[in-house]
Amino acid sequence: MSPQARCRCVILIILCVAQLGFAPHLHAETLPAGTTLEIRIQQPISSYSTPAGTRITGVMISPVTDSGKILVPLGTTITGTVVAVRKVGIGFPHETARIDLRFDHIILANGKSVPISCRITEIENARESIDKKGRIQGIRATATLSNRTSGVVGSLAFGDPIAAIFTTAGSATTLRFSEPEISLPAGTEFIAKLTAPLDFPNETVQSVPQLVVTPGGKDNLSRIVRALPYRTFSDSKKETPSDITNLAFIGTADELQRAFAAAGWVIVDTLTAQTTYSTIRSIAENQGYRRAPMSILILDGKQPDFAYAKTLNTFSKRHHLRIWRTTQTWHGRQIWTSSSTHDIGIGFSKKSKTFIHLIDTNIDNERAKVVNDLIFTGCVSAAQLVTRPWLPAHPQNATHEDLITDGRIAVLEFNGCRQPRSEISGEDTTLLRIHGNRFERTTRQTVLTLENNVLRDNVGVMTYSSIHYLLDLKKEHKEHLERQMDLAGQKYTIQDTFSPQDAYTSLYPRPFSDRYGKTPNLKSINRWAPPTVEIGVRGGFHGYYGGNGGAIVFLINQDNNPNPDLIVVIGNTLHDGWELGGTVTLDSQKYFSHEFAYDHSFTRFLLGLEVVGQDSTTGELVNQFAFNITGLRTSQFTYNLLINATPRTSRFRPYFAIGPSLQLMHLAEAPIKKAPGFFKLGLSTVGLLTAAYDFGGTPPLEGGGIFQPGLNYGGGARFRLTPRWMIRADFRETFTAQPDFWTKSKNDILSNVSVSEGYNLTFLGPFLNGPSRQDRITGGFAFTF
């Protein structure tokens, strides 16, 4: 048979096979239900302003693999729809916001759209949660720690309206009412799971190149990795072993910083009074603080050169890492090493007896997160996984949490990173309205607070909530997530040699003070950065100066005699004492501070009575009654503008203070302890004076109080002993009208008076001794943030 004939036969056979259905074809790969998808959205979403039906585009930020083969690479487009939106609005009828977002298609590299069925299971590092139907559930503003704290403090001040004003003002200035609307910016990251199997065409996907290709290069990289320090220690006297390094970077400091900036990671703030306060607010208000400081860990005797974090809108959850410059190089390029962990919540450590960040104990997940984020930017030219069999078995961090790892370190080489692909490259950064205007927000806060007080602040609901919370603690809520890296797994793993000496050393790591002979000189951190808030207490002397007291006069005379037969003068004087108080001071400007203060004084009130005339029963001259001194309690709220002589950065700050005040004065108990018997010259009984002080009414002499506005002024000085503690000395004077204890009680006194036939009763007064000046000389201390 000729060659041409043979060729025609082969073609004929192929066509026949094709007709019979046996033609060769590309097999599709199937991803099972439950496969994890990591998605970063490219448009902002807001429960307040995003309408239902809005189309959303996202990108895959972690590869999807099957048996070590990458089926869905980084950067794959995924689309979805905002199916339904529920906003809080003015707080009625809903207390919480909700968004139903569903991803429905994956766009392949060839442009083909593949329908998918998945359910969102988590928002990365968010305060929002996901309900059982996969919907995004917003927070309840009245459930935050700040709102609960304000409620508790307000309850403690329930019996004193002035104290209630102070606690309300102090809470409002230091802790905000949390925003309940959902606001997710472009770049928000989601975890979703397939709810049905998904078929993908069998295509070759390019991965990041491996770092080394020759046996000699692998040996060299192994030696470098073996020389890198791997165990961090806590920055404390105990030098407790802590995190394990799991990343290494090759490149310049500029390349490193450009790559992390493009990946959406931020350098955290140093730990100062101001950042501590910001952290407390973030926790209490359930709001975000992207640059929240982290504790210092020491590696090889040194503090980290860089500390990066990535979060959304909560302090309790964040990706974070620390980076140290090493003495090693790769082909003349600087090598850095890093320890990375993922904070997933806040808990209480029984061993440490303090609140700590809880971490994802599988620290390889965080290693994969960092690798994927950096590869996504295009700043990584090559990568490699290197095994380290010398690592200690079953390590724990400084807070005694397990560190589960395969021991490998990911080594990434940067490529210059001159034109990185940003985390939000190509994304819609349009600003959406996330809440209403000031009137709407004020109305919403009032409505939500009232709803909370009615629905939850009762014994039954509080008991149920406590039991539910305790039972809830025993449940495991977080599904175990295993992140995949855009690396070809074991293919790029370098196996190093291992010796018995290595094993001994890994089990008994030496602290850096042993290796270097002494604790290293730590980098200088500006712990004396100016505080933002001061919370203080004070106490001292309280005195009255200027006009002091008042009086009323009763005149009794016969009808035919204009001259009084009996003159009764009742007066009071105020006497010095002592006081206690508290302050909340906001240091938001260079030379000006805003102070809210509450002071409660314990002074004395003396009631005097003088009678000129004769008792008609005995004929004796009566000139006085006996009274005991009673207590006078004054509660005062003041706002003061502090004009400081030195800037915020100074430790010693003299100042002048001026501002309005509101005070409430009331008597501790009935001032009359003893009164003589009956006398008759026109009066039926002297017991009327006792009956007048019926301390169940509203007049001040009968249990009520005197509200007075005033002007507060004075000066003082503050001195910071430590970055957190301050001492202060103050002089304040409050200028008010003389308190009138008599006008409101006049009618009650007269109501008990009966005069004999032929006699008249005349009332004069009250007579007040001019304005009142109250002086306070106090000392105290304050805790600063």
Side-chain angles (χ1 to χ4, degrees), residues 31 34-39 60 62 64 72 78 103 106 116-118 121 190-194 198 481:
L31 291 176
T35 299
T36 299
L37 307 177
E38 297 185 48
I39 305 164
M60 300 292 295
S62 177
V64 179
V72 184
I78 185 169
F103 295 103
I106 285 181
I116 63 170
S117 176
C118 67
T121 59
F190 294 87
I191 306 296
K193 289 187 179 296
L194 293 179
L198 179 62
L481 171 66

Side-chain angles (χ1 to χ4, degrees), residues 610-656:
E610 186 173 347
V611 179
V612 179
Q614 288 185 336
D615 190 323
S616 59
T617 305
T618 63
E620 296 179 355
L621 182 67
V622 179
N623 59 12
Q624 66 180 4
F625 282 84
F627 298 93
N628 285 345
I629 293 178
T630 189
L632 176 63
R633 305 291 183 256
T634 302
S635 297
Q636 184 183 84
F637 168 75
T638 59
Y639 160 75
N640 285 293
L641 175 65
L642 306 186
I643 305 171
N644 299 282
T646 56
R648 292 178 61 204
T649 52
S650 301
R651 293 176 61 184
F652 179 67
R653 304 192 76 188
Y655 64 87
F656 172 75

Side-chain angles (χ1 to χ4, degrees), residues 333-397:
R333 306 190 70 198
Q334 177 67 52
I335 293 181
W336 312 74
T337 191
S338 171
S339 64
S340 62
T341 54
H342 184 196
D343 292 336
I344 58 174
I346 295 176
F348 185 80
S349 171
K350 294 181 179 179
K351 292 184 179 180
S352 302
K353 295 181 175 59
T354 186
F355 287 95
I356 62 171
H357 257 125
L358 303 176
I359 67 167
D360 179 358
T361 57
N362 186 356
I363 61 174
D364 293 347
N365 280 335
E366 191 68 357
R367 179 185 67 192
K369 172 62 179 174
V370 177
V371 168
N372 290 331
D373 274 9
L374 293 177
I375 289 177
F376 186 88
T377 67
C379 294
V380 177
S381 59
Q384 185 68 277
L385 283 170
V386 182
T387 59
R388 297 176 296 175
W390 55 84
L391 294 189
H394 312 298
Q396 292 184 326
N397 63 11

Side-chain angles (χ1 to χ4, degrees), residues 678-742:
F678 299 101
F679 69 100
K680 300 256 171 113
L681 185 59
L683 297 175
S684 60
T685 175
V686 176
L688 68 93
L689 295 175
T690 305
Y693 304 101
D694 173 21
F695 275 71
T698 55
L701 292 179
E702 303 171 40
I706 300 175
F707 285 95
Q708 288 186 303
L711 177 66
N712 193 73
Y713 48 85
R718 296 169 289 171
F719 180 74
R720 293 179 72 186
L721 291 175
T722 71
R724 291 289 183 273
W725 291 100
M726 171 186 294
I727 58 174
R728 58 185 298 167
D730 298 273
F731 169 77
R732 302 294 171 89
E733 184 171 88
T734 303
F735 185 84
T736 65
Q738 187 69 218
D740 180 6
F741 287 89
W742 301 106

Side-chain angles (χ1 to χ4, degrees), residues 58 67 84 146 149 167 220 233 252 268 433 589 606 649:
S67 301
S146 61
T149 301
T167 56
N220 187 29
F233 290 82
T252 66
V268 301
R433 289 192 64 187
Q589 297 167 298
L606 179 61
T649 52

